[in-house]
Amino acid sequence: MTIRDILQNEWRHLVAIQPSERPWQLPFVAALTSGLPLAVGAWFGHMDYGLISSLGGLVFLYTPNTALPQRMAVLMMCGFGMSAGFALAQIGSFHRFSTIAVLTALALLVSLVTRFYRLQPPGALFFIMAAAIGAYMPHNVEAIPLRVGLLFMGSLLAVMLAFFYSLYMVRRIRPLPAQPLAPFDFQYVVYDSVWTAAFTGLSLVVAHALEMPSPYWVPVSCVVIMQNMSMRAVWNKQVHRILGTFAGMVLAWGLLRLEPGPWEVCLLIMLLTFATEFLVVRHYGMAVIFITPMTILLAEAGSGMNLPVADIIQARVQDIVLGSVIGLIGGVFLHEARLRAWLSLRLFGVPFDPPARGK
């Protein structure tokens, strides 16, 4: 294969648009679950409170296409899990070493549970994201109950909206029948979870060694890349994420230059959330263009829109590039068959049989 053939193949993977049957109502309701808490925060002059509640709204994205009772059970458990992880991250964030230890342990626990129960994508991602953001908030023991309560209320709002969304959608899209719990797969549940947590912790160690300010987006970027089913998918997402990030930074710079107020931030975040959830299942790189300014606006909303634009953009670029590179290395440990077989046998005493992974 010539260099030209390789480049053409990479280009086809880069621009390929995936078909999707995701209804437009899902990104619309997702926009409401993220925007309504911010609107309440803007109304009462506490955008920082709205930011925390909007994290709980991410629970809506775990809505499965099953019968209504199963949907509600999954969402309520997700809301509880996200609140518990956020609380533990807040409690353990009194020192950088404890922060790294707690987030690494949470990454392992969340990965084990979500994989054991075969939770649909985004899997462990948003649990780790909420915990990482909580861990890098200013440590204040007295504020922990308030913050956890705010996130839990955001989760409750998401569950309520998901209930009405489901009542509407089950009449239009036939729910899938309930599936029995899949047989336990050591490779998928344990091996993958251990390495996901290990590289999540490594990303935090490197970020602190480089003295990066509030590097909450480093472990998130790492997990995003590692949560793919093949090395090709890992590589594609890494390229999409880095290229999409740079394009998104240009959009973020333009939006921040407009100096939006609290209500404008709410509207922008809702529009960006809708675009993200509409595109993410079709072309990840295009979705990242909107994810990047959305996360930056959320960070700015929590800080009162007082941080310099250049500083916040530079910090997020560094976070995403570092996390993506470490996630790519972690993807090799998950998807390179010979390395995986050797590590699985040496570290766990379990042979690796590729056809038996059951993904």
Side-chain angles (χ1 to χ4, degrees):
M1 182 178 289
T2 65
I3 294 178
R4 181 179 180 181
D5 292 335
I6 294 174
L7 292 176
Q8 288 179 340
N9 184 53
E10 292 297 327
W11 176 253
R12 284 194 295 270
H13 283 290
L14 182 64
V15 301
I17 305 295
Q18 304 298 324
S20 174
E21 297 180 355
R22 172 177 282 191
W24 66 266
Q25 291 91 342
L26 189 147
F28 176 77
V29 179
L32 290 179
T33 61
S34 63
L36 289 179
L38 286 169
V40 174
W43 179 268
F44 290 102
H46 279 287
M47 286 294 285
D48 52 340
Y49 292 178
L51 167 63
I52 298 172
S53 286
S54 69
L55 291 176
L58 295 172
V59 165
F60 173 77
L61 298 176
Y62 289 97
T63 305
N65 183 25
T66 56
L68 188 59
Q70 286 79 21
R71 291 189 189 210
M72 294 298 101
V74 169
L75 290 175
M76 286 187 286
M77 290 304 298
C78 287
F80 171 79
M82 189 174 291
S83 301
F86 181 82
L88 290 173
Q90 285 267 292
I91 294 169
S93 63
F94 57 88
H95 192 275
R96 63 179 179 176
F97 294 120
S98 64
T99 299
I100 294 171
V102 169
L103 287 179
T104 303
L106 282 172
L108 176 60
L109 178 61
V110 170
S111 297
L112 287 170
V113 173
T114 56
R115 286 174 177 271
F116 180 81
Y117 287 104
R118 299 299 198 272
L119 188 66
Q120 68 174 26
L125 175 61
F126 289 143
F127 297 95
I128 296 173
M129 184 176 112
I133 292 176
Y136 288 98
M137 290 180 177
H139 187 71
N140 183 349
V141 175
E142 295 180 353
I144 292 175
L146 171 62
R147 291 171 177 172
V148 175
L150 289 168
L151 186 136
F152 190 71
M153 285 193 293
S155 298
L156 287 178
L157 174 63
V159 172
M160 182 184 71
L161 291 176
F163 175 75
F164 291 108
Y165 164 81
S166 298
L167 286 178
Y168 177 80
M169 292 304 299
V170 292
R171 301 177 181 178
R172 288 158 176 80
I173 300 178
R174 186 176 181 179
L176 299 175
Q179 299 294 327
L181 189 63
F184 178 76
D185 183 345
F186 178 89
Q187 294 291 332
Y188 179 63
V189 176
V190 178
Y191 181 94
D192 288 9
S193 297
V194 168
W195 287 111
T196 298
F199 278 91
T200 300
L202 176 62
S203 69
L204 287 165
V205 170
V206 174
H208 281 282
L210 296 175
E211 298 183 350
M212 300 174 71
S214 299
Y216 60 88
W217 212 245
V218 175
V220 175
S221 299
C222 180
V223 173
V224 166
I225 301 300
M226 292 187 69
Q227 272 197 169
N228 291 282
M229 309 303 281
S230 66
M231 197 62 216
R232 161 52 66 182
V234 168
W235 173 255
N236 286 347
K237 186 161 283 190
Q238 195 247 16
V239 174
H240 282 177
R241 188 160 184 79
I242 291 178
L243 294 179
T245 294
F246 283 105
M249 289 300 171
V250 176
L251 177 59
W253 179 83
L255 293 176
L256 291 176
R257 292 282 294 178
L258 297 175
E259 299 182 354
W263 291 105
E264 288 81 5
V265 168
C266 295
L267 179 60
L268 285 172
I269 288 176
M270 293 176 73
L271 292 174
L272 292 169
T273 301
F274 180 88
T276 296
E277 295 306 320
F278 183 82
L279 291 170
V280 71
V281 292
R282 295 171 171 84
H283 192 280
Y284 184 73
M286 295 176 63
V288 172
I289 296 175
F290 300 98
I291 291 172
T292 303
M294 181 179 67
T295 57
I296 290 176
L297 282 171
L298 284 171
E300 286 292 274
S303 64
M305 305 297 286
N306 294 321
L307 296 177
V309 175
D311 289 352
I312 191 66
I313 289 181
Q314 180 182 359
R316 294 293 78 80
V317 168
Q318 292 173 346
D319 289 352
I320 291 171
V321 172
L322 176 61
S324 297
V325 171
I326 294 176
L328 177 63
I329 298 171
V332 175
F333 281 70
L334 295 184
H335 303 296
E336 207 292 312
R338 288 175 295 180
L339 176 61
R340 183 186 182 104
W342 185 84
L343 288 171
S344 182
L345 191 60
R346 292 284 183 176
L347 297 180
F348 303 103
V350 178
F352 171 54
D353 182 12
R357 291 189 65 193
K359 287 191 179 184

